[in-house]
Amino acid sequence: MQPLHHGILLLYLLLLSGTWADLEGNPLLPLPSPLSYLGTFTVRLLQTSTFQNTSFVDTEGLGFLEDIELGSLDKHTWAIRFYQPWVRPALRRSDWDTIQNMIKIYLQRFSHLINEGAMQKDVPYPFVAQCMAGCKLYPNRTSQAFTYVGYNGQDFLSFDTDNGTWVLSQDTDLSRYVLAILQNYTAFSELLEVLFNDTCVDDMEMLVQYGKAALERQVQPVAVVFARTPSPAQLLLVCRVTGFYPRPISVAWLRDGQEVPPGPALNTSAILPNADLTYQLRSILAVTPHDGHSYACRVRHRSLGSRSLLIPWGRCHPWGQGWGS
Ligand SMILES: *[C@@H]1O[C@H](CO)[C@@H](O)[C@H](O)[C@H]1NC(C)=O
Ligand SMILES: *[C@@H]1O[C@H](CO)[C@@H](O)[C@H](O)[C@H]1NC(C)=O
Ligand SMILES: *[C@@H]1O[C@H](CO)[C@@H](O)[C@H](O)[C@H]1NC(C)=O
Ligand SMILES: *[C@@H]1O[C@H](CO)[C@@H](O)[C@H](O)[C@H]1NC(C)=O
Ligand SMILES: *[C@@H]1O[C@H](CO)[C@@H](O)[C@H](O)[C@H]1NC(C)=O
Ligand SMILES: *[C@@H]1O[C@H](CO)[C@@H](O)[C@H](O)[C@H]1NC(C)=O
């Protein structure tokens, strides 16, 4: 199979996939054995290219396994920088070298293609093109791939891996033009399918195996409860939970031991990242001062096992220790 000239995402996908030789059916990498992963894992590769003018493009590239940043591309040399010590050993050195070279070729061709399209269609500079590609690996060794292309922050095109075709996300002159170019290269779509169907699974299994400790890392949440009084008639109880990993968590307020259902008095923030790859959130319950009820914040998280963290508000509370069940 020949390398293709107009491959949006091509080399990013190859970051996942190994080398051209893989595409010709030569298994280069031993499969990890025994297979030892449970759960579903997603690899995401992100590219952001800012086209300042026809001769100047600024490109950033990032790779993630779940929420773990695997590496990035050096802005100037497009060399891969590894952020985790276990990423480089997951593939052979020669494979990384090949991937590295391909990224460079891909980014040159990508810029060329996009600049040509922009000139053909009178697209005003500056503009931003983004690509996100990756795949999800299920415990039954099947995978599901995705590819999205964005233009100036809006969905532009995506690749439907079920039927192997590109789909418009917005209907514009430009999106139709790019779609036509991509569809002219059926070999490219076939290549994507092969990558998604086969190599995606094999290389992700390597990454998941090498990154096992990082993926299984657990850090217990720290929670505090405090109050704010925006007005004499209102008391806001704040439960601040931080420093936990992985991301999924359950935070609830108990009134006299009973969970407070969702409603206008309850306001829970989004889960936000901390700088050290842990997470935080806060849950605020609006109550009437001196209403005679007892309140506590209850936190459940994988790192706590079957226990809950229980942080009571106020002096008199029946739970005592701060740890309940
Ligand atoms: C393109 O943009 C770069 C960075 O903004 C600038 O240095 C350069 O002069 C521009 N070139 C042209 C031909 O406009
Ligand atoms: C594998 O698991 C996924 C997710 O649970 C499911 O959607 C898919 O149908 C399964 N595939 C097979 C072949 O069992
Ligand atoms: C492929 O699937 C997408 C979305 O499911 C659909 O919009 C498109 O028409 C399909 N293309 C072909 C050629 O069947
Ligand atoms: C697609 O291929 C056809 C036939 O080779 C050609 O006429 C057309 O210009 C091509 N379209 C694009 C957008 O490259
Ligand atoms: C990839 O998998 C899809 C869904 O299982 C299948 O329809 C398609 O033929 C496969 N393509 C290739 C090139 O193996
Ligand atoms: C919940 O919090 C958000 C952000 O602080 C705020 O905009 C919103 O008004 C709050 N809602 C309630 C019901 O307190």
Side-chain angles (χ1 to χ4, degrees):
M1 192 180 287
Q2 288 294 307
L4 299 152
H5 293 272
H6 294 279
I8 286 186
L9 286 173
L10 186 54
L11 289 165
Y12 269 78
L13 296 164
L14 285 161
L15 257 178
L16 287 184
S17 74
T19 67
W20 293 110
D22 276 325
L23 304 175
E24 287 153 8
N26 305 331
L28 286 178
L29 297 167
L31 280 180
S33 69
L35 291 175
S36 56
Y37 63 93
L38 287 170
T40 298
F41 298 100
T42 306
V43 163
R44 283 185 190 80
L45 303 168
L46 312 176
Q47 175 199 352
T48 302
S49 291
T50 307
F51 290 78
Q52 302 285 4
N53 52 46
T54 49
S55 53
F56 190 84
V57 186
D58 208 20
T59 291
E60 286 182 61
L62 287 174
F64 290 88
L65 172 58
E66 293 295 295
D67 53 1
I68 302 168
E69 203 169 342
L70 300 175
S72 69
L73 292 183
D74 183 280
K75 246 181 155 167
H76 303 291
T77 63
W78 293 340
I80 301 172
R81 286 183 303 216
F82 295 92
Y83 289 170
Q84 308 293 333
W86 43 267
V87 177
R88 192 197 287 269
L91 298 182
R92 292 174 183 184
R93 194 196 161 125
S94 57
D95 292 338
W96 283 120
D97 288 346
T98 310
I99 290 167
Q100 182 85 74
N101 290 334
M102 289 180 157
I103 287 172
K104 290 179 186 171
I105 297 165
Y106 159 72
L107 287 175
Q108 276 159 10
R109 287 182 181 161
F110 177 83
S111 302
H112 183 74
L113 167 70
I114 298 292
N115 273 324
E116 270 196 351
M119 285 187 278
Q120 290 272 340
K121 292 287 148 191
D122 283 329
V123 172
Y125 287 80
F127 63 89
V128 180
Q130 285 167 293
C131 302
M132 177 168 82
C135 62
K136 213 172 196 170
L137 179 65
Y138 297 112
N140 58 16
R141 288 203 83 220
T142 63
S143 71
Q144 193 180 19
F146 51 87
T147 301
Y148 299 97
V149 182
Y151 167 69
N152 279 345
Q154 311 243 302
D155 290 342
F156 189 66
L157 292 172
S158 63
F159 185 72
D160 189 300
T161 40
D162 290 335
N163 58 21
T165 57
W166 290 91
V167 183
L168 291 178
S169 308
Q170 55 172 258
D171 196 354
T172 60
D173 242 20
L174 182 64
S175 65
R176 290 185 167 279
Y177 177 79
V178 175
L179 183 82
I181 289 178
L182 290 170
Q183 273 173 348
N184 258 13
Y185 291 88
T186 52
F188 176 57
S189 299
E190 280 164 20
L191 174 64
L192 283 184
E193 271 192 64
V194 172
L195 289 177
F196 285 152
N197 283 12
D198 305 330
T199 44
C200 178
V201 176
D202 298 347
D203 286 0
M204 265 186 81
E205 282 178 348
M206 295 299 286
L207 274 175
V208 166
Q209 173 136 314
Y210 278 74
K212 203 169 188 295
L215 288 165
E216 290 175 353
R217 172 174 156 255
Q218 294 188 356
V219 187
Q220 291 193 355
V222 174
V224 291
V225 167
F226 56 93
R228 284 201 205 123
T229 44
S231 73
Q234 205 187 26
L235 190 63
L236 295 180
L237 303 183
V238 182
C239 181
R240 182 168 181 274
V241 185
T242 191
F244 55 90
Y245 190 88
R247 196 174 185 279
I249 196 161
S250 147
V251 175
W253 279 99
L254 305 184
R255 179 189 288 121
D256 301 329
Q258 297 293 312
E259 189 170 323
V260 177
L266 189 62
N267 199 352
T268 301
S269 73
I271 299 176
L272 300 171
N274 291 321
D276 60 351
L277 194 49
T278 62
Y279 291 93
Q280 59 164 304
L281 85 164
R282 56 181 60 202
S283 181
I284 302 177
L285 181 67
V287 302
T288 311
H290 314 297
D291 65 0
H293 295 292
S294 62
Y295 293 96
C297 177
R298 186 192 62 203
V299 179
R300 290 178 170 157
H301 185 255
R302 191 185 304 167
S303 64
L304 300 169
S306 58
R307 291 180 307 172
S308 304
L309 198 53
L310 205 55
I311 304 97
W313 158 248
R315 283 146 304 183
C316 42
H317 45 78
W319 299 288
Q321 312 310 310
W323 290 92
S325 56

